[in-house]
Amino acid sequence: MDKSVFDQNCRNCPRLAGFLDEVKDRYPDYYCRPVPPFGDETSRFLIVGLAPGMHGANRTGRPFTGDHAGILLYQMLHKFDFASHGESVAADDDLLLTNCRITNAVKCLPPDNNPVGAEINACNAYLANELQLLPKSSVVLALGGIAHRAVIKALAMRQADYKFAHAAVHDLGNVRLLDSYHCSRYNTNTRRLTSEMFADIFAQARTLLQS
Ligand code: SF4
């Protein structure tokens, strides 16, 4: 069985591969490939987002880098000593993550930020392999319901037993899954997720990592 956590040449989702080709024609300088996980490969803290954003990770090649969704995330990572800087500008800047890694449930840019079920399922094998590599007593932070359900699926758990809820913690054996609303522009602009709420999530993650 393939144990890879990522394949830069993967084109298993025809709709997404075709969309990346179209976007590359429109924006030749954009990265437009599956976006690799970023951060400390030995860490016990894995953050799972949804998918690359058009002008963010899809442009720069690093998760949550270069668009609005990453602003609050990297501020929090810095505030809680997981990141060397409070912003992520480009894949070749000198930002370092310590005891933390970031990945996406779907590694390729989906049209309208909306992957279909078959695409989430196709990419789930990479996430499953990534979760299997986590050390004992790890903490997984799921940003949004799709990421939450992708983690449950990747661990072969029953969705009905673990419902997404902001700030909920689910004991999944080797890992504890912590849920948060996604730090998207929509959620932060509407104050569904405020800075204070997100800081509370990171404080909760720190506490879980110490227990
Ligand atoms: S979303 Fe995942 S499975 Fe689908 S083409 Fe991209 S890397 Fe491959």
Side-chain angles (χ1 to χ4, degrees):
M1 182 183 155
D2 185 357
K3 288 287 183 189
S4 62
V5 302
F6 172 71
D7 177 358
Q8 197 185 31
N9 297 311
C10 183
R11 291 178 67 92
N12 288 346
C13 304
R15 186 183 77 120
L16 299 189
F19 186 55
L20 285 184
D21 292 343
E22 277 175 46
V23 174
K24 186 71 176 173
D25 284 343
R26 251 187 289 157
Y27 301 101
D29 296 339
Y30 279 24
Y31 173 79
C32 293
R33 305 281 290 267
V35 174
F38 171 55
D40 182 347
E41 290 182 13
T42 62
S43 90
R44 291 170 48 232
F45 184 34
L46 180 69
I47 299 174
V48 183
L50 167 55
M54 169 76 92
H55 304 296
N58 178 65
R59 176 171 63 83
T60 61
R62 181 194 280 167
F64 290 93
T65 296
D67 64 2
H68 188 88
I71 295 174
L72 190 56
L73 177 61
Y74 283 102
Q75 280 173 1
M76 288 300 152
L77 287 169
H78 183 52
K79 180 180 167 110
F80 285 86
D81 293 329
F82 293 110
S84 57
H85 300 81
E87 61 177 358
S88 179
V89 179
D92 60 355
D93 66 18
D94 59 356
L95 177 69
L96 279 178
L97 296 187
T98 306
N99 300 322
C100 175
R101 181 171 167 90
I102 306 174
T103 195
N104 278 315
V106 174
K107 307 286 189 282
C108 294
L109 167 73
D112 302 319
N113 295 324
N114 199 12
V116 300
E119 293 157 355
I120 297 168
N121 291 344
C123 219
N124 203 253
Y126 295 121
L127 183 63
N129 289 341
E130 199 161 12
L131 291 170
Q132 274 188 14
L133 293 175
L134 286 173
K136 209 162 173 269
S137 302
S138 290
V139 174
V140 177
L141 170 58
L143 299 178
I146 291 178
H148 165 98
R149 288 187 290 279
V151 171
I152 298 294
K153 178 178 173 56
L155 293 171
M157 304 279 188
R158 275 166 38 99
Q159 300 288 350
D161 293 339
Y162 305 99
K163 293 291 187 191
F164 174 85
H166 180 75
V169 178
H170 309 274
D171 190 344
L172 303 178
N174 193 36
V175 305
R176 281 145 308 157
L177 174 61
L178 170 60
D179 290 339
S180 170
Y181 293 134
H182 193 283
C183 47
S184 64
R185 181 192 292 271
Y186 179 82
N187 281 347
T188 53
N189 281 354
T190 58
R191 297 185 63 75
R192 183 179 179 87
L193 181 71
T194 64
S195 298
E196 295 74 22
M197 288 166 69
F198 212 31
D200 288 346
I201 289 290
F202 276 84
Q204 208 175 342
R206 268 281 176 226
T207 303
L208 287 169
L209 285 164
Q210 281 157 10
S211 63

mmCIF file of all heavy atoms in Angstrom, residues 7 10-13 16 34 106-108 119 122-123 126, ligand 1:
data_model
loop_
_atom_site.group_PDB
_atom_site.id
_atom_site.type_symbol
_atom_site.label_atom_id
_atom_site.label_comp_id
_atom_site.label_asym_id
_atom_site.label_seq_id
_atom_site.Cartn_x
_atom_site.Cartn_y
_atom_site.Cartn_z
ATOM 1 N N ASP A 7 1.788 13.802 -3.089
ATOM 2 C CA ASP A 7 2.424 13.548 -4.384
ATOM 3 C C ASP A 7 2.210 14.783 -5.258
ATOM 4 O O ASP A 7 1.079 15.098 -5.637
ATOM 5 C CB ASP A 7 1.792 12.317 -5.043
ATOM 6 C CG ASP A 7 2.372 12.047 -6.430
ATOM 7 O OD1 ASP A 7 3.234 12.826 -6.890
ATOM 8 O OD2 ASP A 7 1.945 11.058 -7.051
ATOM 9 N N CYS A 10 0.263 14.224 -8.446
ATOM 10 C CA CYS A 10 -1.030 13.534 -8.394
ATOM 11 C C CYS A 10 -2.058 14.261 -9.269
ATOM 12 O O CYS A 10 -2.200 15.475 -9.200
ATOM 13 C CB CYS A 10 -1.522 13.472 -6.949
ATOM 14 S SG CYS A 10 -3.089 12.559 -6.798
ATOM 15 N N ARG A 11 -2.776 13.493 -10.096
ATOM 16 C CA ARG A 11 -3.880 14.031 -10.915
ATOM 17 C C ARG A 11 -5.059 13.074 -10.801
ATOM 18 O O ARG A 11 -5.786 12.837 -11.769
ATOM 19 C CB ARG A 11 -3.433 14.203 -12.363
ATOM 20 C CG ARG A 11 -2.408 15.325 -12.548
ATOM 21 C CD ARG A 11 -1.934 15.466 -13.980
ATOM 22 N NE ARG A 11 -2.968 15.917 -14.892
ATOM 23 C CZ ARG A 11 -3.191 17.207 -15.195
ATOM 24 N NH1 ARG A 11 -2.464 18.161 -14.640
ATOM 25 N NH2 ARG A 11 -4.146 17.537 -16.035
ATOM 26 N N ASN A 12 -5.233 12.505 -9.614
ATOM 27 C CA ASN A 12 -6.288 11.509 -9.429
ATOM 28 C C ASN A 12 -7.688 12.094 -9.517
ATOM 29 O O ASN A 12 -8.650 11.347 -9.672
ATOM 30 C CB ASN A 12 -6.123 10.801 -8.068
ATOM 31 C CG ASN A 12 -4.945 9.863 -8.059
ATOM 32 O OD1 ASN A 12 -4.400 9.541 -9.114
ATOM 33 N ND2 ASN A 12 -4.519 9.434 -6.879
ATOM 34 N N CYS A 13 -7.810 13.409 -9.363
ATOM 35 C CA CYS A 13 -9.132 14.047 -9.451
ATOM 36 C C CYS A 13 -9.185 14.815 -10.775
ATOM 37 O O CYS A 13 -8.600 15.912 -10.874
ATOM 38 C CB CYS A 13 -9.361 14.999 -8.288
ATOM 39 S SG CYS A 13 -9.168 14.215 -6.675
ATOM 40 N N LEU A 16 -10.269 18.566 -10.698
ATOM 41 C CA LEU A 16 -9.309 19.469 -10.057
ATOM 42 C C LEU A 16 -8.036 19.617 -10.905
ATOM 43 O O LEU A 16 -7.487 20.713 -11.033
ATOM 44 C CB LEU A 16 -8.951 18.967 -8.657
ATOM 45 C CG LEU A 16 -10.122 18.856 -7.673
ATOM 46 C CD1 LEU A 16 -9.604 18.558 -6.274
ATOM 47 C CD2 LEU A 16 -10.978 20.103 -7.671
ATOM 48 N N PRO A 34 -0.691 20.194 -6.509
ATOM 49 C CA PRO A 34 -1.057 19.803 -5.145
ATOM 50 C C PRO A 34 -0.110 20.490 -4.152
ATOM 51 O O PRO A 34 1.107 20.512 -4.372
ATOM 52 C CB PRO A 34 -0.852 18.283 -5.142
ATOM 53 C CG PRO A 34 -0.965 17.867 -6.578
ATOM 54 C CD PRO A 34 -0.410 19.016 -7.372
ATOM 55 N N VAL A 106 -7.841 18.413 1.307
ATOM 56 C CA VAL A 106 -7.770 18.285 -0.154
ATOM 57 C C VAL A 106 -6.568 19.109 -0.602
ATOM 58 O O VAL A 106 -6.482 20.296 -0.286
ATOM 59 C CB VAL A 106 -9.070 18.803 -0.808
ATOM 60 C CG1 VAL A 106 -8.956 18.817 -2.323
ATOM 61 C CG2 VAL A 106 -10.257 17.941 -0.368
ATOM 62 N N LYS A 107 -5.656 18.481 -1.315
ATOM 63 C CA LYS A 107 -4.370 19.140 -1.585
ATOM 64 C C LYS A 107 -4.400 20.062 -2.813
ATOM 65 O O LYS A 107 -3.454 20.815 -3.023
ATOM 66 C CB LYS A 107 -3.267 18.085 -1.780
ATOM 67 C CG LYS A 107 -3.151 17.058 -0.633
ATOM 68 C CD LYS A 107 -2.518 17.654 0.604
ATOM 69 C CE LYS A 107 -2.192 16.643 1.680
ATOM 70 N NZ LYS A 107 -3.294 16.179 2.510
ATOM 71 N N CYS A 108 -5.449 19.964 -3.643
ATOM 72 C CA CYS A 108 -5.529 20.793 -4.856
ATOM 73 C C CYS A 108 -6.636 21.825 -4.737
ATOM 74 O O CYS A 108 -7.678 21.573 -4.117
ATOM 75 C CB CYS A 108 -5.816 19.926 -6.080
ATOM 76 S SG CYS A 108 -4.489 18.790 -6.476
ATOM 77 N N GLU A 119 -13.683 13.907 -4.491
ATOM 78 C CA GLU A 119 -12.342 14.494 -4.390
ATOM 79 C C GLU A 119 -11.835 14.432 -2.946
ATOM 80 O O GLU A 119 -10.654 14.141 -2.696
ATOM 81 C CB GLU A 119 -12.388 15.932 -4.909
ATOM 82 C CG GLU A 119 -12.664 15.975 -6.414
ATOM 83 C CD GLU A 119 -13.262 17.283 -6.914
ATOM 84 O OE1 GLU A 119 -13.571 18.166 -6.096
ATOM 85 O OE2 GLU A 119 -13.445 17.403 -8.128
ATOM 86 N N ALA A 122 -10.843 10.894 -2.510
ATOM 87 C CA ALA A 122 -9.612 10.521 -3.221
ATOM 88 C C ALA A 122 -8.383 11.002 -2.453
ATOM 89 O O ALA A 122 -7.373 10.301 -2.348
ATOM 90 C CB ALA A 122 -9.615 11.115 -4.625
ATOM 91 N N CYS A 123 -8.464 12.197 -1.900
ATOM 92 C CA CYS A 123 -7.308 12.767 -1.205
ATOM 93 C C CYS A 123 -7.173 12.227 0.219
ATOM 94 O O CYS A 123 -6.139 12.448 0.868
ATOM 95 C CB CYS A 123 -7.419 14.290 -1.194
ATOM 96 S SG CYS A 123 -5.830 15.105 -1.460
ATOM 97 N N TYR A 126 -3.984 10.239 1.441
ATOM 98 C CA TYR A 126 -2.795 10.988 1.867
ATOM 99 C C TYR A 126 -2.940 11.419 3.331
ATOM 100 O O TYR A 126 -2.003 11.332 4.120
ATOM 101 C CB TYR A 126 -2.577 12.231 0.996
ATOM 102 C CG TYR A 126 -2.261 11.933 -0.444
ATOM 103 C CD1 TYR A 126 -3.070 12.401 -1.469
ATOM 104 C CD2 TYR A 126 -1.131 11.191 -0.781
ATOM 105 C CE1 TYR A 126 -2.767 12.141 -2.806
ATOM 106 C CE2 TYR A 126 -0.822 10.916 -2.108
ATOM 107 C CZ TYR A 126 -1.652 11.402 -3.120
ATOM 108 O OH TYR A 126 -1.342 11.141 -4.423
HETATM 109 S S1 SF4 B 1 -7.005 16.603 -4.511
HETATM 110 FE FE1 SF4 B 1 -5.560 15.073 -3.727
HETATM 111 S S2 SF4 B 1 -6.158 13.123 -4.712
HETATM 112 FE FE2 SF4 B 1 -7.108 14.813 -5.889
HETATM 113 S S3 SF4 B 1 -5.632 15.268 -7.537
HETATM 114 FE FE3 SF4 B 1 -5.159 16.663 -5.819
HETATM 115 S S4 SF4 B 1 -3.571 15.583 -4.607
HETATM 116 FE FE4 SF4 B 1 -4.533 14.073 -5.971
#
